[in-house]
Amino acid sequence: MLAAVIFDMDGVLIDSEPFWQRAQMAVFSELGHPHTEEDCNSTIGVRIDQLVAHWYRLRPWSGPSQDEVVQRILDQVITLILAEGEPKAGVLEALDLIEAQGLKIGLATSSPFAMVDAVLGKLGIQDRFMAVHSAEVERFGKPHPDVYIHAAEKLGVDPVHCLAIEDSFTGLLAAKAASMTALIVPDPALVDDPRLAIANHELRSLAELDAEMLASWVG
């Protein structure tokens, strides 16, 4: 029986993937390694420091350190969120439905806490989450399950009694590895990706979620 719902953040609560894409393209272009949309899509859901390390291994640069590049990207993303960020379709209604079922609500994200604060503040939903956890403080980011496992611990709920809501394959792997029920609301770049078949449920948008559907999952 489900006792909690744990949301991913980027691409689930807020359409921030385009912000990440714009920031990555700008910063990597400054380094002399222009990024394509396909390059960005290949790392959706990956923790920012791991993403930068990945591209450094493939395309080493001289000049700013990896930590500096991480901070440049993060600063640009936060600026874009504060200027343009909006909740994704159905998010506020989904939170209402989940609360009405008496379920606990948590957040498990690859993004650092500075960005979590920016997103939740911009959307005005800080008080909707009983627990917030970032892979920033984990040894490994998604697809490693620890960010989900520790989010569940903060909620006081066994992972097997949690529903995770994800938009990326990387995050989906993390949720499944944590033994959670997984709902995928895929990023547009991943629609019809056969790998997403490992999810327990799939919706095109959280706007499709209704009380009857959620009640059937709670069981």
Side-chain angles (χ1 to χ4, degrees):
M1 177 181 288
L2 292 179
V5 177
I6 300 179
F7 287 80
D8 174 47
M9 186 176 74
D10 293 291
V12 173
L13 296 180
I14 187 171
D15 190 14
S16 52
E17 296 300 348
F19 300 155
W20 282 107
Q21 193 172 95
R22 285 160 62 183
Q24 288 176 59
M25 286 180 169
V27 172
F28 284 120
S29 181
E30 292 168 4
L31 294 171
H33 296 294
H35 256 42
T36 65
E37 185 175 330
E38 185 177 353
D39 289 332
C40 295
N41 288 341
S42 71
T43 54
I44 290 174
V46 176
R47 197 172 67 185
I48 183 61
D49 60 322
Q50 294 177 324
L51 180 153
V52 169
H54 165 76
W55 290 116
Y56 183 84
R57 287 192 296 271
L58 294 179
R59 308 168 184 172
W61 59 78
S62 57
S65 68
Q66 292 183 46
D67 286 344
E68 290 175 286
V69 172
V70 167
Q71 195 59 50
R72 286 187 191 181
I73 294 172
L74 181 60
D75 288 345
Q76 290 200 27
V77 173
I78 289 176
T79 296
L80 289 167
I81 285 169
L82 294 178
E84 304 176 28
E86 295 181 353
K88 291 203 71 173
V91 166
L92 302 181
E93 294 81 1
L95 289 169
D96 290 340
L97 289 172
I98 292 164
E99 288 177 343
Q101 286 288 336
L103 301 172
K104 295 182 177 181
I105 301 176
L107 183 73
T109 178
S110 293
S111 294
F113 282 109
M115 187 168 161
V116 173
D117 291 341
V119 169
L120 299 188
K122 176 67 176 180
L123 303 186
I125 55 175
Q126 305 98 315
D127 297 339
R128 309 297 292 270
F129 295 87
M130 297 179 65
V132 172
H133 194 61
S134 165
E136 177 182 25
V137 296
E138 300 291 352
R139 182 177 178 186
F140 302 108
K142 298 173 184 178
H144 197 281
D146 272 357
V147 66
Y148 271 113
I149 292 170
H150 293 144
E153 286 181 357
K154 285 184 175 181
L155 288 171
V157 178
D158 191 297
V160 299
H161 298 307
C162 295
L163 171 71
I165 303 179
E166 272 288 349
D167 73 311
S168 73
F169 180 62
T170 300
L172 180 57
L173 286 175
K176 295 294 288 186
S179 300
M180 294 186 178
T181 300
L183 165 62
I184 189 76
V185 184
D187 181 271
L190 298 176
V191 170
D192 297 326
D193 188 323
R195 299 176 300 169
L196 304 185
I198 65 172
N200 301 89
H201 310 287
E202 180 172 350
L203 296 175
R204 296 291 177 165
S205 165
L206 278 177
E208 297 177 0
L209 184 66
D210 59 37
E212 184 177 352
M213 185 186 302
L214 183 60
S216 72
W217 296 347
V218 173

